Structure formats: structure tokens, C-alpha cells
């Protein structure tokens, strides 16, 4: 079945450092791709999405580009803040039954220190 | 708009006991999902409803887990009897969509954390 692979964490950075969290996927069709973020004690929140190849999703300074040729959707941010500390999940939507469902990666914890 | 409501937020039970979780999705959202998130892992889909019908329950351990959405609005997930490995956060999510029509966003509740001793 479809699957998502993320880099293992934790990723530890100093404030204002550049962030990359790698995500690759395996899918039989043409899924949409998502990044969700989970802050401590809170539910999953959509960070950004891309629906087709070469689309770039962006939000709150985070970006990710849907790369069909490398089956990747890496998350980047030019300058992280302490408030970005959270767990980040890459996900794809599949809909073999005709209804969309999300398949998640294992998550990558980001720790940003002042 | 109000978010996805879940209760209880925390539950501690002993193995072989039963537990139930409740979810109230966003008003008007036809599709409802229950995910299981074990510590250190990504969420795994347990069951998906479209209105009051089950779309996908292929990963639901049906010998102990059950779920219903009788009136196509709120939903209950039950575990009976619980095992140690059921310790996890149970996430409910909803979306407005019907059959696939693009990348519809799922909105998640804060989750119900279950500890089985």
C-alpha cells in the first residue's frame, strides 16, 4: 500500500537556523501531499499542502515542493523560532475506495533552542 | 467555526476493562475518521465514516474495537476488553467532502489519551 517515510528525529537547532525535514513517499496513483504539525498537548494542524507535481505549499514561513521525479516533499524553513518546536508529520492522501484518507509518516520532532 | 470535540481527554484503565471515546465533528462535515496514534508513531486510520455508513474499517481490530455514528453526526469508539498495547492517543478528524474531489483538509480534535495498566 501507499506509505510515507520521514527522517528520524529529534532535529535540534538553534533559533534562526535553516530547517529541512526530509519526506519521501510511495504511492500507486497521484496523491496529494501534506505537512501537519502537532504542538505539545494539541491536536494535529494542517501546515501546508500540495495537490500536484511541482506545486509548492507554503505557510508561516514553511515551504515544501511536490517532487514527482524524486517522490519527495521535503519541509523547509529559512529561520526557525523557538515557537516552531513541535512534531511534524508528512502525509499523503489516497483514495482507492473513492474516499480520501490520510496516510502518515512516523513524525519528526523539532527542538529549537534560544 | 467550532472545532472537532473529543472526550474524555485522558483515561486510565486496567487491562480487560472497557472504555469509550466520543467525538463531535465540525457541523456539516460528512466524513469522520478515527485514528490511533501510538507514542513515537504516526497516526494510523482505524475507521472512516461517510455520514452514518462505514467506508473503511480494514485496520480496526474488530474483536475488541467497535465504532458507530448512528445519526451521521457524532461518533463513539469503544474498546472492550482493552489490552496493554491499546495505550495510545485516539484522534478524531472530520472533513466536509464526499467522494474524492481534491485535497480536502482533515480537521483533527485534540485527542483522547488512553493508558492501559
Amino acid at each position: 500500500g501507499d506509505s510515507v517515510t520521514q527522517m528520524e528525529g529529534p532535529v535540534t537547532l538553534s533559533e534562526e537556523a535553516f530547517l529541512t525535514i526530509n519526506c519521501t513517499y510511495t504511492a500507486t496513483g497521484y496523491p496529494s501531499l501534506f505537512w501537519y504539525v502537532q504542538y505539545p498537548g494539541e491536536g494535529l494542524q494542517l501546515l501546508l499542502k500540495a495537490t500536484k507535481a511541482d506545486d509548492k505549499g507554503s505557510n508561516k514561513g514553511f515551504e515544501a515542493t511536490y517532487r514527482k521525479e524524486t517522490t519527495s516533499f521535503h519541509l523547509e524553513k529559512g529561520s526557525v523560532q523557538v515557537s516552531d518546536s513541535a512534531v511534524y508529520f508528512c502525509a499523503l492522501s489516497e483514495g482507492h475506495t473513492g474516499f480520501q484518507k490520510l496516510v502518515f509518516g512516523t513524525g519528526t520532532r523539532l527542538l529549537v533552542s534560544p | 467555526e467550532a472545532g472537532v470535540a473529543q472526550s474524555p481527554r485522558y483515561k486510565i484503565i486496567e487491562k480487560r476493562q472497557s472504555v469509550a471515546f466520543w467525538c463531535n465533528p465540525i457541523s456539516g462535515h460528512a466524513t469522520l475518521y478515527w485514528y490511533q496514534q501510538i507514542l513515537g508513531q504516526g497516526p494510523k486510520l482505524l475507521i472512516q465514516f461517510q455520514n452514518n455508513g462505514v467506508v473503511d474499517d480494514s485496520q480496526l481490530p474488530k474483536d475488541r474495537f467497535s465504532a458507530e455514528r448512528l445519526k451521521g453526526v457524532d461518533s463513539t469508539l469503544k474498546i472492550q476488553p482493552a489490552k496493554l498495547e491499546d495505550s495510545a492517543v485516539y484522534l478524531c478528524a472530520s472533513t466536509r467532502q464526499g467522494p474524492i474531489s481534491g485535497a480536502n483538509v482533515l480537521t483533527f480534535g485534540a485527542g483522547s489519551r488512553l493508558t492501559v495498566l
Side-chain angles (χ1 to χ4, degrees):
Chain A
D2 296 355
S3 65
V4 175
T5 302
Q6 285 181 242
M7 62 186 288
E8 287 196 20
V11 173
T12 305
L13 295 173
S14 298
E15 206 163 25
E16 300 183 0
F18 184 87
L19 168 71
T20 300
I21 300 178
N22 290 337
C23 170
T24 57
Y25 68 90
T26 302
T28 53
Y30 299 95
S32 294
L33 301 174
F34 304 81
W35 278 99
Y36 276 81
V37 59
Q38 189 171 38
Y39 297 101
E42 298 184 18
L44 288 161
Q45 303 173 26
L46 177 70
L47 181 59
L48 52 85
K49 68 178 184 181
T51 59
K52 61 184 187 297
D54 300 326
D55 265 4
K56 177 185 283 188
S58 61
N59 186 28
K60 299 181 181 180
F62 290 89
E63 294 183 339
T65 301
Y66 190 142
R67 301 287 189 200
K68 186 168 177 290
E69 62 276 13
T70 54
T71 62
S72 65
F73 193 54
H74 304 322
L75 182 68
E76 297 182 337
K77 187 175 186 183
S79 176
V80 294
Q81 305 299 312
V82 172
S83 57
D84 293 328
S85 298
V87 181
Y88 292 82
F89 291 91
C90 185
L92 64 79
S93 69
E94 63 172 24
H96 305 311
T97 63
F99 291 88
Q100 177 182 273
K101 70 177 185 183
L102 286 181
V103 175
F104 287 89
T106 53
T108 303
R109 182 175 298 276
L110 171 65
L111 300 170
V112 181
S113 57
Chain B
E1 73 185 350
V4 176
Q6 290 190 246
S7 67
R9 287 296 309 275
Y10 305 94
K11 188 75 175 179
I12 301 174
I13 63 173
E14 300 202 342
K15 59 184 180 183
R16 290 187 290 274
Q17 287 187 323
S18 63
V19 63
F21 302 110
W22 174 82
C23 172
N24 190 27
I26 292 173
S27 178
H29 280 197
T31 309
L32 184 147
Y33 309 79
W34 283 102
Y35 280 83
Q36 180 192 56
Q37 186 179 11
I38 293 172
L39 186 65
Q41 299 182 19
K44 182 186 81 171
L45 181 68
L46 292 176
I47 188 166
Q48 178 180 350
F49 292 94
Q50 178 67 19
N51 296 311
N52 60 350
V54 175
V55 172
D56 184 348
D57 63 358
S58 57
Q59 298 193 83
L60 187 74
K62 297 180 186 62
D63 58 334
R64 298 182 299 104
F65 286 65
S66 63
E68 59 184 16
R69 193 185 185 200
L70 292 176
K71 297 182 179 178
V73 181
D74 56 351
S75 175
T76 303
L77 176 70
K78 296 179 181 177
I79 307 174
Q80 182 180 11
K83 292 186 174 181
L84 295 177
E85 58 261 36
D86 298 332
S87 293
V89 177
Y90 291 86
L91 298 167
C92 181
S94 68
T95 185
R96 186 179 299 276
Q97 63 147 150
I100 282 189
S101 56
N104 286 285
V105 174
L106 273 64
T107 302
F108 284 83
S112 295
R113 181 180 297 278
L114 173 66
T115 302
V116 182
L117 303 176

